[in-house]
Amino acid sequence: MKLNWFSPLPPAPTGIATYASQVLTVLGTLADVTAWTDQPTWAASLEQSVQVQRYQDWRQIPWRQAHQADLNIYHIGNDVTFHGGIWQLSRRCPGLVVLHDLELQELFCGIADATPDGWTDYVAGMTRCYGLAGAQAARQLYFKEQPTATIAHHYPLTEWALENAIGALFHNRQACQTATQTLAQRWHLGYAPLPYAAAPTVAQRSQTSPYQLILFGYLGANRQVETIVRALAQMPERDQFQLHLYGQLADPRPIEAAITQFNLGALVHIHGFVSDPALHQALATANLAFNLRSPTVGEASGSQLQIWQHALPSLVSQVGWYAQLPAGTVAWVRPGSEIADIQTHLRQFLADPPRYAAMGYRGRAVLEAHHSPQDYAEALVEFARTCRGATDRRASGFSTVTAQQMTDRAAMPLADWARSGSANSRDLTALAQAIAALTGNGNEDGDKVS
Amino acid sequence: MRILVLTTQVPFIQGGAERLAAGLVQALIQTGHEAEIVAVPFKWYPPERILDHMLACHLLDLTEVCGQPVDRVIGLKFPTYLIPHPRKTLWLVHQYRTAYDLWDSDYSDLIGQPNGLQVREAIRQADRQLATYPRRFTISANVARRLQQFNGITAAPLYSPPPLAERFYCDPEAGYLFFPSRISLTKRQQLVLEALQHTRNPVRVVFAGAADSQSDGDRLTALVAQWGLADRVQFLGPISDDRKLDCYARAIAVLYPPLDEDYGYVTLEAMLAAKPVITCRDSGGPLEFVRSGQTGWVVDPTPEALAAAMDEAWENRAAAKLMGEDARSAYADLNISWDNVVKTLLG
């Protein structure tokens, strides 16, 4: 099977690039893969597994070359820098969309900011997906009457992300099951656990005080960094911990203010971005990780898999994908009760460090058993074959996209006619039957509505 | 019977398909039926317009007109052969070839579009409807071959005479090769111009026919100037029927090297005018009629090979005349007639 792959590639500073590197290494052995990128550079090691094809801009794809593949795979997340252009491609050339985030308001607001008439398109998209309520929410967001996170939870825009897609792959099982209730009529839906290549061995770590606590990645407001700092600050036992922050703090000011306010300068260390080896070393020697996400945007967490790779115990928010993690592999923190739960866990950790260490090893076992890139790549290829379809009795995966486009084209005039009384249910039935017959989305006869 | 012939129309473009549809209607009328052409305007760009046309055709109701039933429809081209009818016969001129044999060729616009693959699949899926025709014919074995190769659907070739078949005649040659056809990339007039650079003799070629687009015509004019062929090449543009008959009659031979032509009236017109045909191994329809060395030349699609055949015709005019007479006899043996077409289509 020939596949085109569109995602950020290493060394792009995003976990999806790391994911891509790990998956492509295996995927290249299962299919003929071309990874497409608009990055000026990419890790040379990728070319041992796949062909890499550069393009200047999403508007300038050499489509004759791209159409040699059976299917395009598009990776969609919230960072408009990496995913804005990919989404624009996905809506023009139907393919398989891998959803790295499910609540995608940040992506679409970023696209709105970056394109002429972008906000007009954004309001139209919200209206199309959610009707009048969506239009009102769009205006509230535009005029900053509501934060993006609040809007995102109620109006995730997942459907807009799948505009013209053939199918969607989720990394969140519950989200996939929920989506099946509403989206399965139109899209092929699949689930595969987010993969991560486990390093062969786990380093032995010190189990004595002071214990090393760690946070890493893009540390936005939903990572609850300030909450963690304040929870630690209020504990008499705080001197038994050292808290290390790696990565980018979205807004360092409240963190620095809290450190100053609570005299935590000797306990809390802001490292910023470090090299991958340095981060791995830090994880290898840490005793407990924080991986809170409140709110979550429905993502499966590559950071969590990285934590498990080091058999590191972790505190996670009891929400979304994190709430579905096997019991005993993480320690849950309830949204709204962060400070109390963090303090409870830290005290329990002090009372029984091996108990938490065992939690980390159980997480490592889950990683090895269920998150292998090999299993993921095999599942992806199988799902791609399903999406592509085109057997003797089953229409090509493109057929649902075509059927939807035909329906959309006919819907507007038909709605006008229906309002004026010129069209009736027989006309609608005839239209549905015609679309079904032409696109093979009916039964075997092709002349009945599916 | 009341019979409708279903075809597409590209406004301001006239070619063999239009003449075939007109010929069929005339033949049906002469056989005592009521017959008319239903020509649906067709636009293929941007590609999503193709989907619109497919749906529009499939929604048309031609089962009756003004309360009177339409007894039969005869489908000729995409997408009008998607118009449903309980009593339909297919006489396929050609499918939408850029979704099939021309998909990954220099002549394809579809493959260069983001949604090109999707629209290709949509066309192929819709063409499964062709299997619902109880009686299926094609204008040539070449078209039948494509239908079988790409769609797994069988159909029988059914040849028709070219327009004005009874009026073609042969006169002494007047020192030129004749290339009558619409000017477009797939007809490959440019290949003939390239061949003229390789001929030993000062071979002259007369082209007749309208250009599909301004750019098609301008391209060839520029090449003639660039290659210094102005004294050997003549572009007549669109010509009257009488002039066309005369040009055939006084040609040494007829040049017709299109790329995988569906049928090719030009070949039959040349045979009727008792002229040999120079064509190429990948020219499709003409190969069903031209026997290399007997009724014409079948050569590789290269300027050098074409030039060699052109030189042969130019140098051996007596032999060319005999080949032309053999071609006319071969046409007579084929028993191509509108009577046969009508009888076969209506079963």
Side-chain angles (χ1 to χ4, degrees):
Chain A
M1 191 174 196
K2 288 187 178 179
L3 299 171
N4 287 329
W5 174 285
F6 293 85
S7 84
L9 301 175
T14 161
I16 297 175
T18 307
Y19 148 93
S21 172
Q22 295 186 358
V23 174
L24 288 172
T25 300
V26 183
L27 194 64
T29 67
L30 302 174
D32 182 353
V33 181
T34 301
W36 293 73
T37 183
D38 58 359
Q39 295 172 202
T41 59
W42 53 86
S45 57
L46 285 170
E47 295 183 62
Q48 294 173 10
S49 309
V50 300
Q51 186 182 354
V52 180
Q53 176 69 46
R54 184 166 190 272
Y55 59 95
Q56 191 69 28
D57 177 88
W58 62 267
R59 299 169 191 82
Q60 297 174 334
I61 296 285
W63 286 109
R64 178 180 292 268
Q65 182 182 350
H67 284 324
Q68 302 304 317
D70 297 303
L71 192 68
N72 291 358
I73 301 176
Y74 304 103
H75 294 268
I76 302 296
N78 262 311
D79 193 325
V80 68
T81 306
F82 300 121
H83 302 285
I86 292 176
W87 177 72
Q88 295 284 12
L89 284 173
S90 74
R91 62 203 291 237
R92 283 161 174 77
C93 179
L96 166 55
V97 169
V98 179
L99 289 167
H100 291 269
D101 294 317
L102 303 179
E103 297 176 5
L104 291 159
Q105 281 288 344
E106 274 189 49
L107 172 66
F108 289 106
C109 290
I111 292 172
D113 275 339
T115 52
D117 293 325
W119 282 103
T120 305
D121 293 340
Y122 170 79
V123 173
M126 284 283 277
T127 308
R128 202 163 49 245
C129 291
Y130 305 112
L132 184 59
Q136 290 170 341
R139 287 182 175 84
Q140 286 177 335
L141 193 149
Y142 181 76
F143 291 111
K144 298 188 180 1
E145 295 168 6
Q146 290 272 12
T148 307
T150 305
I151 300 287
H153 190 62
H154 296 288
Y155 307 98
L157 288 177
T158 315
E159 281 192 45
W160 198 10
L162 299 179
E163 178 183 324
N164 275 343
I166 296 174
L169 184 69
F170 292 78
H171 296 145
N172 181 324
R173 183 194 295 273
Q174 194 169 65
C176 181
Q177 288 170 344
T178 303
T180 301
Q181 296 166 14
T182 52
L183 305 183
Q185 277 253 330
R186 182 171 166 181
W187 291 282
H188 294 281
L189 303 178
Y191 161 73
L194 184 70
Y196 196 91
T201 57
V202 177
Q204 294 296 316
R205 51 174 56 90
S206 168
Q207 296 289 353
T208 57
S209 175
Y211 297 101
Q212 310 302 311
L213 309 176
I214 188 169
L215 259 84
F216 65 97
Y218 180 76
L219 304 178
N222 69 333
R223 300 295 300 272
Q224 303 285 320
V225 180
E226 188 183 347
T227 303
I228 294 167
V229 170
R230 288 182 179 275
L232 186 62
Q234 295 167 10
M235 292 178 65
E237 308 93 328
R238 70 191 214 178
D239 289 339
Q240 296 197 55
F241 298 105
Q242 293 281 300
L243 176 62
H244 300 272
L245 308 181
Y246 290 89
Q248 181 183 349
L249 279 166
D251 185 0
R253 290 171 300 177
I255 315 304
E256 289 164 353
I259 292 172
T260 303
Q261 179 186 356
F262 297 110
N263 198 24
L264 293 171
L267 270 57
V268 180
H269 310 280
I270 301 175
H271 298 272
F273 269 117
V274 299
S275 67
D276 282 349
L279 178 60
H280 280 287
Q281 179 60 28
L283 288 167
T285 54
N287 297 107
L288 186 68
F290 289 94
N291 195 21
L292 305 184
R293 293 284 195 288
S294 189
T296 172
V297 290
E299 77 287 4
S301 174
S303 299
Q304 187 61 40
L305 302 184
Q306 202 170 351
I307 290 168
W308 279 350
Q309 185 192 205
H310 293 277
L312 185 56
S314 53
L315 270 57
V316 304
S317 303
Q318 195 169 22
V319 65
W321 178 80
Y322 306 87
Q324 303 167 46
L325 297 175
T329 61
V330 292
W332 280 306
V333 171
R334 295 167 297 165
S337 303
E338 281 86 357
I339 290 183
D341 286 359
I342 289 169
Q343 291 175 345
T344 298
H345 281 302
L346 288 177
R347 291 193 176 101
Q348 288 177 350
F349 175 86
L350 288 174
D352 191 358
R355 175 179 160 222
Y356 280 78
M359 180 191 298
Y361 279 97
R362 283 193 290 273
R364 167 83 190 200
V366 168
L367 174 71
E368 291 174 356
H370 299 294
H371 293 272
S372 83
Q374 179 72 35
D375 290 346
Y376 182 88
E378 289 175 1
L380 182 60
V381 170
E382 189 57 37
F383 187 51
R385 279 194 224 284
T386 300
C387 288
R388 188 62 180 84
T391 63
D392 284 342
R393 290 170 68 82
R394 190 165 172 277
S396 152
F398 288 112
S399 66
T400 50
V401 175
T402 300
Q404 185 66 45
Q405 289 175 354
M406 286 182 172
T407 304
D408 290 344
R409 278 289 277 171
M412 194 69 82
L414 211 56
D416 288 341
W417 296 335
R419 270 193 291 274
S420 68
S422 307
N424 55 36
S425 60
R426 193 177 61 185
D427 298 315
L428 294 173
T429 301
L431 174 63
Q433 287 177 340
I435 293 173
L438 287 173
T439 60
N441 278 289
N443 62 7
E444 292 173 23
D445 297 327
D447 60 356
K448 292 183 184 172
V449 177
S450 65
Chain B
M1 282 197 282
R2 285 157 52 90
I3 303 171
L4 293 177
V5 173
L6 312 177
T7 188
T8 53
Q9 174 195 10
V10 178
F12 308 112
I13 301 287
Q14 287 285 323
E18 287 69 34
R19 294 199 294 273
L20 181 140
L24 175 60
V25 165
Q26 192 173 7
L28 289 167
I29 292 171
Q30 284 175 350
T31 320
H33 302 287
E34 287 184 73
E36 280 207 18
I37 290 175
V38 169
V40 177
F42 182 53
K43 187 173 180 182
W44 59 93
Y45 57 93
E48 45 269 39
R49 290 290 80 76
I50 298 174
L51 305 182
D52 292 346
H53 284 87
M54 285 163 48
L55 181 58
C57 284
H58 204 65
L59 287 170
L60 284 175
D61 179 1
L62 294 180
T63 57
E64 54 90 19
V65 177
C66 297
Q68 296 228 2
V70 173
D71 300 301
R72 187 77 66 92
V73 299
I74 299 173
L76 300 185
K77 290 177 76 175
F78 174 87
T80 50
Y81 54 52
L82 298 174
I83 298 173
H85 194 278
R87 291 168 300 282
K88 57 186 184 181
T89 300
L90 179 70
W91 189 30
L92 183 61
V93 174
H94 62 76
Q95 298 168 269
Y96 193 73
R97 292 180 61 188
T98 54
Y100 292 102
D101 55 303
L102 297 181
W103 163 248
D104 195 6
S105 74
D106 292 338
Y107 308 101
S108 174
D109 51 357
L110 202 54
I111 197 173
Q113 300 297 318
N115 59 351
L117 191 58
Q118 176 216 337
V119 172
R120 184 192 81 168
E121 295 296 304
I123 292 168
R124 294 187 177 199
Q125 176 62 40
D127 276 357
R128 292 184 179 202
Q129 296 288 312
L130 293 176
T132 65
Y133 276 84
R135 307 184 74 246
R136 297 187 296 269
F137 304 94
T138 60
I139 61 168
S140 71
N142 197 26
V143 174
R145 177 192 59 77
R146 286 192 214 122
L147 187 62
Q148 174 64 48
Q149 176 185 348
F150 289 105
N151 306 96
I153 296 173
T154 56
L158 176 62
Y159 298 136
S160 62
L164 310 173
E166 69 286 356
R167 290 184 56 192
F168 283 86
Y169 58 94
C170 183
D171 268 353
E173 54 88 9
Y176 61 87
L177 304 181
F178 185 45
F179 189 161
S181 178
R182 290 186 292 113
I183 293 179
S184 73
L185 277 174
T186 55
K187 302 302 183 185
R188 295 200 295 200
Q189 285 88 358
Q190 181 170 330
L191 183 62
V192 170
L193 294 180
E194 290 170 9
L196 282 173
Q197 297 184 86
H198 296 274
T199 57
R200 293 188 294 272
N201 298 283
V203 174
R204 288 183 59 236
V205 177
V206 173
F207 295 91
D212 276 1
S213 70
Q214 183 72 38
S215 62
D216 283 318
D218 290 347
R219 175 174 46 87
L220 297 183
T221 305
L223 288 174
V224 168
Q226 181 183 336
W227 294 337
L229 297 172
D231 58 341
R232 296 168 62 193
V233 168
Q234 190 178 4
F235 287 103
L236 300 180
I239 55 177
S240 67
D241 289 341
D242 286 344
R243 184 133 189 232
K244 185 175 80 169
L245 294 167
D246 180 64
C247 287
Y248 269 110
R250 297 189 301 122
I252 299 169
V254 171
L255 281 160
Y256 195 52
L259 174 67
D260 199 18
E261 181 70 26
D262 303 314
Y263 183 35
Y265 273 153
V266 170
T267 314
L268 301 178
E269 289 170 347
M271 296 167 84
L272 284 164
K275 303 294 174 181
V277 174
I278 301 172
T279 190
C280 292
R281 297 192 204 290
D282 62 349
S283 288
L287 301 176
E288 296 175 40
F289 306 103
V290 180
R291 295 197 295 272
S292 193
Q294 292 181 306
T295 62
W297 292 263
V298 179
V299 300
D300 290 336
T302 65
E304 295 82 2
L306 208 50
M310 290 159 70
D311 274 327
E312 272 193 48
W314 189 264
E315 292 168 1
N316 302 305
R317 303 201 189 183
K321 185 171 184 295
L322 288 174
M323 290 170 81
E325 289 168 3
D326 282 346
R328 184 159 54 186
S329 297
Y331 181 93
D333 292 342
L334 290 168
N335 193 28
I336 298 174
S337 71
W338 278 115
D339 279 347
N340 183 50
V341 170
V342 169
K343 199 180 305 182
T344 306
L345 288 178
L346 300 185

